[in-house]
Amino acid sequence: MAATVCNYYCRCPHIISTSPPTSGRLHTLNWRSFRCSSTTIIPSSNVPLDGNSTSRLDCVIVGAGITGLTVAQTLSARNLLVTEARERVGGNITTMERDGYLWEEGPNSFQPSDPMLTLVVDSGLKDDLVLGDPKAPRFVFWEGKLRAVPSSPTDLPFFDLMSFPAKIRAAFGALGFRPSPPAHEESVEEFVRRNLGNEVFERLIEPFCSGVYAGDPSKLSMKAAFGKVWKLEENGGSIIGGTIKALKDRSNSSKVPRNPPLPKPKGQTVGSFKKGLAMLPDAISSRLGSKVKLSWKLSSIAKSEDDGYTLTYETPEGVISVQTKSVVMTVPSYVASCLLRPLSGAAADALSEFYYPPVAAVTISYPQEAVRGDCLIDGELKGFGQLHPRTQGVETLGTIYSSSLFPNRAPPGRVLLLNYIGGATNPGILSKTESQLVEAVDHDLRKMLINSNAQEPLVLGVRVWPQAIPQFVIGHLDMLNAAKTGLRKCGLKGLFLGGNYVSGVALGRCVEGAYEVAAEVEDFLVRYAYK
């Protein structure tokens, strides 16, 4: 959820929003293998880069969100800079704290995959990691009731979100008894209805798409948005067939030993930190030290005569120009489009095509007794949260039970709820005031979770992201390939694209994508930049 001003980077009228890693750079690399100023431009040889060296840079990473910071930490032995237009690092990660409450206004948590846990350990945050209860139920609001989603295969026969015929239809479809794949690129809706049936789509996948992508599943690409599931059918002839084949391939391949320092989460859960997600970018930035430059607003990128790049910034110290062998652009695609247009019109045109709908994060609190009795488990609100299909007359996309998910998120006797509203199917939220957004969320919650006669909620934060989550719509991969091809055809070696529109929108996918980009940069520097 980007919420910075694109004019910080370029002049187009969009609204967007120091020690080495503990495991060593090689381990991390091998995991998967404006205000104008008349100040005189200062050459990069006069800019302190890493505390000692004043030579030309190996790499400049534009954007200090989680992707940019992960790339920088992975390549921290290199002579590099991370530049950020805003006054803080973290990108969309926005942790707030007040009056005994701790809440997020961007991403809320992450899946503790090995790449993500590697970053946690390398950032020195292993002891600050907190994990949710893997048994915490997740709910979908359907026909006037919050209904639990199955958390394991043993739950499938008994959960009441779907009818028995629909469960049979889904089982046969997963085994391959369904229509063959069409010749065209399928939307999420087409793929799921064809493979698993209408009820699976309407009651599980549609609200999931709304909650994760804030997207429209009739437009999202199955291949781009949920590529791992799409590949199961592609590789195995059916979802079950692909799963069996993947398990066989995994058992036949040589196993890479798991890094011993990594934590071992139990079950399917989510993670954060004792003081919220912002601990991660703050920790990485602290380790990088003077390699991170805040309030540096990139105004132009130019190809230099030695096949490197010259980046010109407007900074608190005036206009500064730096020379570098490579550049990683981790800003939103529309910001990258503006900056790269002078270098490649084709790449800029492709990058301008990605769509980011608006989303608002509304954080409110109620007293514990405001929660409906039938929504309590052992007298408490327990669980991860709830999702709301668009067909059920609820405007809010989903609600996370923040005070139940992680410890010390709210004072005793209070429940803390993070609600998302807006998205691709409801861009009209931009015309609403903060009080109207709170009113809409409160109205929805009183239909599902909160007693109708409860007192008004305590409003902690309303954060509107005008351009929030990139939509992986049909044609997304083609547009991304067109952008990369445009750069390549213009001879722009050493210029890399990264960020959530490249890797995927989940925090963990951004980290995995960052490791992949870092490996590409390292390979480029070894193979080309020093020859």
Side-chain angles (χ1 to χ4, degrees):
M1 299 177 185
T4 239
V5 179
C6 180
N7 288 343
Y8 281 3
Y9 296 97
C10 59
R11 304 192 184 282
C12 61
H14 290 293
I15 300 297
I16 66 171
S17 16
T18 56
S19 56
T22 56
S23 299
R25 184 174 63 86
L26 286 179
H27 163 73
T28 307
L29 274 176
N30 291 331
W31 169 78
R32 292 291 301 269
S33 61
F34 289 125
R35 194 181 42 175
C36 293
S37 171
S38 59
T39 305
T40 303
I41 294 179
I42 303 172
S44 60
S45 59
N46 292 331
V47 181
L49 302 180
D50 58 12
N52 296 307
S53 174
T54 57
S55 61
R56 192 173 69 143
L57 293 162
D58 292 326
C59 184
V60 171
I61 299 145
V62 183
I66 196 61
T67 298
L69 291 171
T70 303
V71 172
Q73 178 159 280
T74 308
L75 299 173
S76 59
R78 291 287 186 180
N79 190 15
L80 58 81
L81 280 184
V82 185
T83 63
E84 171 58 51
R86 282 178 280 187
E87 297 177 352
R88 67 173 182 89
V89 297
N92 301 337
I93 295 174
T94 308
T95 304
M96 308 295 290
E97 186 172 18
R98 186 177 74 244
D99 299 332
Y101 292 95
L102 181 73
W103 71 96
E104 306 287 351
E105 294 189 341
N108 177 76
S109 59
F110 56 82
Q111 289 189 333
S113 63
D114 278 3
M116 192 72 212
L117 293 174
T118 297
L119 182 66
V120 170
V121 172
D122 287 353
S123 303
L125 293 177
K126 182 178 179 179
D127 292 339
D128 293 288
L129 178 68
V130 293
L131 298 173
D133 180 359
K135 296 181 180 179
R138 293 160 170 81
F139 301 94
V140 169
F141 182 66
W142 187 260
E143 294 183 345
K145 180 182 177 181
L146 289 172
R147 303 172 189 270
V149 174
S151 58
S152 68
T154 57
D155 295 337
L156 292 174
F158 308 106
F159 76 106
D160 68 350
L161 181 58
M162 288 169 49
S163 66
F164 182 74
K167 295 174 186 177
I168 298 297
R169 164 67 178 89
F172 275 96
L175 288 168
F177 299 96
R178 80 290 181 253
S180 299
H184 63 268
E185 182 178 1
E186 280 186 292
S187 69
V188 171
E189 179 174 0
E190 290 173 320
F191 180 94
V192 175
R193 286 189 188 274
R194 179 174 60 80
N195 275 280
L196 302 175
N198 295 333
E199 285 194 23
V200 171
F201 171 74
E202 293 162 0
R203 306 184 189 192
L204 284 171
I205 304 305
E206 187 274 329
F208 180 78
C209 288
S210 297
V212 174
Y213 275 92
D216 181 346
S218 69
K219 297 178 180 179
L220 289 175
S221 163
M222 188 67 194
K223 182 178 180 180
F226 302 103
K228 290 182 179 180
V229 178
W230 178 85
K231 286 180 181 177
L232 294 177
E233 183 186 32
E234 179 77 3
N235 295 336
S238 68
I239 293 176
I240 296 297
T243 302
I244 294 172
K245 185 176 185 299
L247 291 173
K248 286 182 178 179
D249 291 343
R250 187 181 304 170
S251 63
N252 293 332
S253 61
S254 56
K255 294 183 179 180
V256 178
R258 192 170 188 267
N259 190 15
L262 296 186
K264 297 180 180 179
K266 296 179 180 179
Q268 294 294 319
T269 185
V270 293
S272 183
F273 303 98
K274 292 177 181 178
K275 286 295 184 179
L277 290 180
M279 289 190 73
L280 182 58
D282 288 348
I284 299 174
S285 178
S286 177
R287 286 172 170 256
L288 292 170
S290 62
K291 291 181 178 181
V292 178
K293 302 296 181 183
L294 301 180
S295 299
W296 276 39
K297 303 166 187 178
L298 181 57
S299 56
S300 68
I301 306 175
K303 200 84 169 66
S304 55
E305 294 180 358
D306 59 358
D307 285 334
Y309 298 89
T310 301
L311 282 69
T312 302
Y313 290 89
E314 296 169 4
T315 79
E317 292 76 35
V319 176
I320 293 179
S321 180
V322 296
Q323 306 289 324
T324 181
K325 298 180 180 73
S326 63
V327 178
V328 180
M329 302 290 293
T330 70
V331 293
S333 63
Y334 45 89
V335 177
S337 173
C338 294
L339 290 166
L340 297 177
R341 187 163 295 281
L343 296 175
S344 172
D349 287 345
L351 290 169
S352 69
E353 292 295 319
F354 298 108
Y355 172 51
Y356 293 66
V359 174
V362 179
T363 305
I364 54 181
S365 174
Y366 297 90
Q368 178 79 42
E369 57 268 22
V371 180
R372 291 184 180 184
D374 60 349
C375 296
L376 298 175
I377 301 174
D378 298 328
E380 298 180 9
L381 178 64
K382 295 183 179 180
F384 180 90
Q386 57 190 62
L387 294 173
H388 315 137
R390 302 295 84 212
T391 58
Q392 299 304 294
V394 176
E395 188 176 4
T396 310
L397 297 171
T399 299
I400 294 173
Y401 305 162
S402 300
S403 52
S404 303
L405 190 56
F406 300 121
N408 303 317
R409 271 9 188 206
R414 304 288 301 190
V415 294
L416 181 65
L417 304 175
L418 168 57
N419 308 271
Y420 294 111
I421 185 171
T425 60
N426 185 19
I429 63 157
L430 288 177
S431 64
K432 292 189 175 184
T433 64
E434 290 188 2
S435 61
Q436 288 173 328
L437 290 171
V438 172
E439 181 180 355
V441 168
D442 178 61
H443 177 265
D444 285 344
L445 289 175
R446 291 172 192 268
K447 291 182 179 180
M448 303 176 288
L449 183 69
I450 301 298
N451 290 316
S452 59
N453 61 350
Q455 67 183 60
E456 294 298 308
L458 170 65
V459 181
L460 291 161
V462 179
R463 177 67 64 103
V464 178
W465 303 92
Q467 290 175 281
I469 302 172
Q471 299 296 291
F472 281 47
V473 298
I474 292 173
H476 178 94
L477 296 177
D478 292 334
M479 290 188 292
L480 183 58
N481 183 61
K484 293 180 177 180
T485 300
L487 296 177
R488 186 170 60 251
K489 286 185 176 180
C490 289
L492 300 173
K493 287 185 178 179
L495 201 161
F496 303 90
L497 301 176
N500 58 4
Y501 73 95
V502 178
S503 60
V505 301
L507 196 61
R509 275 302 301 143
C510 290
V511 169
E512 292 177 27
Y515 283 135
E516 293 164 4
V517 171
E520 292 177 13
V521 173
E522 181 68 21
D523 180 68
F524 167 79
L525 291 172
V526 170
R527 295 177 60 187
Y528 301 108
Y530 290 98
K531 287 189 175 182

